Amino acid sequence: MSRTDPVRVLVVEHEAGAPAALLGQWLQQAGADLDVRRPYAGDDLPDTLDDHDALLVLGGSMGAHDDADHWWLEPTKALVRRAAEERVTTLGVCLGHQLAAVALGGRSARNPAGQQLGLLPVGWTWAVHDDPLFAAAPGAAGRGLHWNDDVVVEQPPGTVVLALAPGGELQVARYAPTVWGVQLHPEVDEAIVRGWHEEDPDRHAEGVVGPVLAAVTEARDELERSWRPLAEQLVALARQPREAYP
C-alpha cells in the first residue's frame, strides 16, 4: 500500500444510535475508506479481513456476552481474534473494547460501582509512552466521555494497561500487538449523548444528564484536539506492513 492509497476500515456498528460519528469523520479525513456494516439491520460480516486494512468495533447497549440475543457478536469476536493473529490494526470502543477483551480471553460484566457517566479523567499509565497507537495522547487527552454500565473485569493474558478510570476500571488497553480498546467514547458529540438519554431517560439520575450535555458541548474543541490524533495514528499504523509488528 502506498501512502496515498485509502486505508479500508471495516466498521462494525451495533445500533443506529451509536455510529462512528466524529471518529469516522476523522478517519476519513486522515485517508480512510469506511466499510460500515450494520448487522442489526441485515448486513452480513465478512469471515476474513483480507479486504480490509483495519477494524473498528463500535459501542452498543448490549453486553459483550449477549451472543444468544445478537447473532453478530460472536462473528465480531472472531474477527478480533483474526485481527490479533494476522496483525490487523483494530480499535474497540466501549462495547467494542469489551468484545475485544472477551474475544481474547477476558471477561466483561456490570460495574459493581454502578454506571459510569460523564467526562472522566483519563488515568494514563507509564506504558502509554511506548504504545504505537496512544503515545501521542498523554497531555493532550486529559478527559473522555464515559456512558457505560459494563466494564472489563478480567483482562486477557498479555494485556497492557494504558489507562485506568478514576474507580480503577480498565479504561484504555492494548490486548494484542495490533488490538486496542477504549472504554470511553472518543467518537460522540452532544447530539449523540442527547439521543442516548432520550432513548432511556429513567436510567439516569435526575439532574445528571443536563450537566453532562453542557460539559460535552463546552469541551467540544478540547475533545477534538485530544482524540483526533487517535484516528490519524490508527490510519498511519494501518498503512504499515503487518510484518512490522512484533
Side-chain angles (χ1 to χ4, degrees), residues 5-191:
D5 290 337
V7 168
R8 188 163 170 79
V9 181
L10 175 63
V11 181
V12 181
E13 181 184 294
H14 300 286
E15 53 193 21
L22 296 176
L23 187 54
Q25 295 173 28
W26 299 335
L27 287 169
Q28 289 175 314
Q29 291 164 4
D33 178 14
L34 305 186
D35 177 12
V36 181
R37 304 292 180 100
R38 300 177 174 90
Y40 62 90
D43 291 349
D44 63 354
L45 293 178
D47 295 325
T48 75
L49 292 167
D50 294 349
D51 295 329
H52 298 89
D53 305 300
L55 172 63
L56 173 63
V57 184
L58 297 172
S61 58
M62 61 286 293
H65 297 278
D66 291 348
D67 301 19
D69 297 320
H70 306 282
W71 67 264
W72 63 90
L73 294 186
E74 178 49 42
T76 300
K77 286 181 272 194
L79 286 171
V80 171
R81 289 189 288 271
R82 185 175 288 272
E85 294 168 0
E86 299 179 358
R87 300 298 194 261
V88 177
T89 303
T90 298
L91 177 66
V93 174
C94 196
L95 171 62
H97 160 76
Q98 296 157 22
L99 286 168
V102 172
L104 299 177
R107 188 169 66 87
S108 173
R110 284 293 175 103
N111 188 350
Q115 186 181 51
Q116 290 179 319
L117 180 64
L119 283 176
L120 301 182
V122 181
W124 297 111
T125 70
W126 282 107
V128 76
H129 294 286
D130 297 320
D131 185 73
L133 181 58
F134 283 95
R143 297 190 293 174
L145 178 70
H146 283 258
W147 191 290
N148 57 282
D149 296 296
D150 292 3
V151 292
V152 174
V153 294
E154 292 181 12
Q155 300 170 15
T159 295
V160 177
V161 177
L162 301 176
L164 295 171
E169 300 90 350
L170 187 62
Q171 193 176 34
V172 182
R174 186 172 73 245
Y175 293 123
T178 63
V179 178
W180 289 266
V182 292
Q183 183 60 73
L184 50 88
H185 285 278
E187 82 282 12
V188 304
D189 57 18
E190 56 272 21

